[in-house]
Amino acid sequence: AQSVTQPDIHITVSEGASLELRCNYSYGATPYLFWYVQSPGQGLQLLLKYFSGDTLVQGIKGFEAEFKRSQSSFNLRKPSVHWSDAAEYFCAVGISTQGGSEKLVFGKGTKLTVNP
Amino acid sequence: NAGVMQNPRHLVRRRGQEARLRCSPMKGHSHVYWYRQLPEEGLKFMVYLQKENIIDESGMPKERFSAEFPKEGPSILRIQQVVRGDSAAYFCASSPNVATEQYFGPGTRLTVT
């Protein structure tokens, strides 16, 4: 079955430090991969996506992610974290079925705390 | 270009009442998805609709839940005879085509008392 694992439930970093959030997926076909960010009480904002091509993708707010097929990973990175990056981050894989269905399967999220 | 709109943002219902959640997709988007976010469980897919058609409802509970996306008007997620376990945040997303990114609304937070 398709699944997404985010091993870190909670990460704390200092402002200005680098960040890497881990994501591993299980999916038999070529995956569509996404990272979303959710602030408390808000909806999900798309940070970046991977469909094909260059395995290093750039997103909004200075985030990037690298797709590694051999490791079934799609880790999110940022070189210097800002206090406003404190939020919950969700990795997702897009699932397509022969019946024409489309859906996202999400990891359980990583909550990021940024210390001043 | 307005984003995905959901209303109400907060909804309180007593056990046994009905809850109706509305979602207006982004302009030009004809694909709508509903997800539920339960504490400790993360976001789970419920249903995928195109105009006037339910494409995949494999994530919907078998009873009390239904969804529609009529030719005119918003998509509706309807929960009949709500129970405490239905308390959650319900998110709608839309996309212009299949196999593209989904854009999420702000969600409806349902509380069942």
Side-chain angles (χ1 to χ4, degrees), chain B residues 7-79:
Chain B
N7 65 81
R9 294 290 306 275
H10 299 274
L11 182 62
V12 179
R13 285 286 179 267
R14 290 198 178 99
R15 279 180 296 171
Q17 291 184 319
E18 179 179 287
R20 283 189 178 228
L21 287 60
R22 294 175 183 78
C23 168
S24 296
M26 288 179 70
K27 187 176 181 180
H29 288 196
S30 58
H31 302 251
V32 166
Y33 316 80
W34 286 93
Y35 295 83
R36 180 165 64 174
Q37 187 174 36
L38 286 162
E40 310 302 325
E41 288 193 20
L43 283 144
K44 302 289 187 185
F45 167 81
M46 299 182 74
V47 61
Y48 163 43
L49 310 103
Q50 296 178 19
K51 280 287 187 181
E52 300 184 277
N53 287 304
I54 297 174
I55 306 301
D56 181 354
E57 55 183 346
S58 59
M60 290 273 272
K62 297 293 182 216
E63 297 177 349
R64 301 186 297 107
F65 285 71
S66 62
E68 63 177 11
F69 188 17
K71 186 176 179 181
E72 302 290 339
S75 175
I76 306 288
L77 179 68
R78 183 183 177 205
I79 311 172

Side-chain angles (χ1 to χ4, degrees), chain A residues 23-72:
Chain A
C23 172
N24 292 95
Y25 67 90
S26 173
Y27 183 47
T30 301
Y32 300 146
L33 295 161
F34 307 87
W35 275 98
Y36 286 86
V37 60
Q38 183 182 31
S39 297
Q42 302 299 312
L44 283 80
Q45 182 182 22
L46 179 67
L47 283 176
L48 46 76
K49 63 193 179 195
Y50 171 78
F51 283 79
S52 64
D54 193 346
T55 56
L56 184 64
V57 293
Q58 303 296 321
I60 61 171
K61 304 185 180 185
F63 285 93
E64 67 177 25
E66 186 171 12
F67 170 56
K68 293 185 177 180
R69 185 185 298 276
S70 61
Q71 298 177 21
S72 297

Side-chain angles (χ1 to χ4, degrees), chain A residues 32 34 51 96 102, chain B residues 33 95 97-101:
Chain A
Y32 300 146
F34 307 87
F51 283 79
S96 301
E102 293 282 327
Chain B
Y33 316 80
S95 68
N97 293 302
V98 297
T100 61
E101 60 269 30

